[in-house]
């Protein structure tokens, strides 16, 4: 765990900015000290990396939150998109630099503004944003979340992670056992009540994400112990008839 001061020194992000990210729900601390100071773990730092990459692409904070909180958010896919956009940005800047150098060396006025055209880059960014934010599930998620306070959001997420704590306590059982399958139903019902309608197809996709590595797997295993994400995914697959 790192303190907010340590994270600030490591990343170059000011303490005030980190506090603001917490206030708007963009980057919540992983825990607090007994004195109430913010603490951040590796998962939180990975999320901060995503935030900073999107900021490099000049995405507004609200859109960044929409993207990384989307139920279908895929970190590897996002990195692929970010690399593509950053490459476009690099090429655009190189063209502008060459254009400026040409103007300086020639010492003449050249009425050519095509070098400043960012339509291709803007269109790609627009498609990426729409892909993350336009699913029916996310629209419902955002509608349910818009009136919740930060404290309500924190309490709800703690309750949600408690579901995985309970999955972790069942790991000695067969994933097909009735008790485990009832826990899957509890998970599905909780998602439907608090986030979005969790149909069987959606639940199946979530199961694959839970065991797919990255932030989802780490958070679930942190809550329920090592192997909880894989166990939950197996139970979900059985529940969904796969």
């Amino acid at each position: 765990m790192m303190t907010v001061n340590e994270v600030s020194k490591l990343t170059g992000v000011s303490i005030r900015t980190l506090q603001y990210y917490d206030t708007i729900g963009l980057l919540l601390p992983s825990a607090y000290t007994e004195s109430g100071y913010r603490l951040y773990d590796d998962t939180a730092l990975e999320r901060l990396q995503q935030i900073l990459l999107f900021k490099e692409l000049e995405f507004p904070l609200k859109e960044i939150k929409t993207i990384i909180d989307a139920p279908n958010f895929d970190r590897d896919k996002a990195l692929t998109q970010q690399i593509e956009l950053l490459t476009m940005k690099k090429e655009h800047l190189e063209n502008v630099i060459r254009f400026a150098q040409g103007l300086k060396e020639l010492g003449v006025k050249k009425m050519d503004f095509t070098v400043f055209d960012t339509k291709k880059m803007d269109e790609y960014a627009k498609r990426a944003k729409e892909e993350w934010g336009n699913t029916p599930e996310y629209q419902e998620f955002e509608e349910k979340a818009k009136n919740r306070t930060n404290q309500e959001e924190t309490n709800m997420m703690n309750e949600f992670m408690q579901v995985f704590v309970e999955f972790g306590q069942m790991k000695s059982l067969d994933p097909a056992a009735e008790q485990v399958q009832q826990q899957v139903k509890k998970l599905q019902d909780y998602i439907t009540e608090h986030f979005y309608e969790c149909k069987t197809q959606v639940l199946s996709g979530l199961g694959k994400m839970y065991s797919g590595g990255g932030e989802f797997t780490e958070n679930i295993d942190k809550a329920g112990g090592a192997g909880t994400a894989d166990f939950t995914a197996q139970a979900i697959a059985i529940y969904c008839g796969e």
Side-chain angles (χ1 to χ4, degrees):
M1 289 280 193
M2 299 180 69
T3 65
V4 67
N5 188 48
E6 290 170 334
V7 172
S8 179
K9 289 180 179 177
L10 175 69
T11 64
V13 179
S14 71
I15 293 175
R16 180 169 293 183
T17 297
L18 291 169
Q19 291 170 340
Y20 178 65
Y21 287 174
D22 181 10
T23 301
I24 64 175
L26 181 60
L27 181 69
L28 300 176
S30 308
Y32 292 88
T33 67
E34 291 182 0
S35 303
Y37 292 106
R38 296 171 175 84
L39 294 173
Y40 298 85
D41 61 10
D42 288 345
T43 300
L45 292 177
E46 284 182 13
R47 183 177 172 98
L48 180 56
Q49 285 178 335
Q50 283 291 334
I51 292 167
L52 296 178
L53 279 170
F54 280 120
K55 273 181 61 55
E56 282 293 324
L57 295 167
E58 300 175 13
F59 281 36
L61 294 181
K62 184 177 180 181
E63 290 182 358
I64 296 174
K65 187 175 188 303
T66 295
I67 291 170
I68 61 181
D69 283 344
N72 62 334
F73 180 68
D74 182 323
R75 185 170 62 94
D76 290 338
K77 185 175 183 179
L79 284 170
T80 299
Q81 292 175 331
Q82 288 162 344
I83 291 167
E84 181 69 22
L85 277 167
L86 287 167
T87 301
M88 289 180 181
K89 185 176 181 180
K90 172 176 173 285
E91 291 173 352
H92 171 70
L93 289 174
E94 287 174 345
N95 288 337
V96 173
I97 291 169
R98 282 195 294 270
F99 179 76
Q101 288 172 335
L103 287 179
K104 182 179 180 181
E105 291 169 7
L106 292 173
V108 297
K109 295 180 179 178
K110 186 178 180 183
M111 294 300 123
D112 180 5
F113 294 90
T114 57
V115 70
F116 302 106
D117 188 354
T118 61
K119 287 190 182 71
K120 182 179 177 183
M121 188 164 55
D122 294 343
E123 181 59 31
Y124 187 96
K126 180 182 177 183
R127 289 201 308 271
K129 294 173 189 177
E130 288 174 347
E131 185 173 342
W132 295 116
N134 278 354
T135 62
E137 290 80 17
Y138 186 77
Q139 297 299 328
E140 184 180 352
F141 169 78
E142 193 167 55
E143 180 65 25
K144 288 184 175 181
K146 67 180 183 181
N147 294 321
R148 283 198 290 256
T149 66
N150 287 338
Q151 187 59 53
E152 288 171 339
E153 193 81 22
T154 299
N155 292 342
M156 186 188 68
M157 290 308 299
N158 287 339
E159 290 174 358
F160 182 55
M161 296 312 297
Q162 181 61 32
V163 176
F164 296 106
V165 172
E166 293 166 3
F167 267 116
Q169 295 167 347
M170 300 178 186
K171 282 184 295 185
S172 60
L173 302 176
D174 188 317
E178 182 178 354
Q179 182 183 350
V180 180
Q181 290 299 294
Q182 285 296 319
Q183 186 68 10
V184 176
K185 179 67 165 56
K186 179 178 178 178
L187 172 65
Q188 184 181 33
D189 290 345
Y190 192 90
I191 293 171
T192 296
E193 181 181 354
H194 295 90
F195 301 113
Y196 47 85
E197 185 179 2
C198 188
K199 299 176 182 177
T200 300
Q201 183 179 359
V202 174
L203 182 63
S204 174
L206 287 173
K208 293 179 176 64
M209 289 169 64
Y210 291 162
S211 61
E215 188 173 347
F216 280 108
T217 304
E218 291 172 8
N219 285 338
I220 292 171
D221 282 355
K222 187 186 297 183
T228 301
D230 285 337
F231 178 76
T232 302
Q234 292 172 36
I236 289 173
I238 294 168
Y239 182 89
C240 294
E242 298 173 4

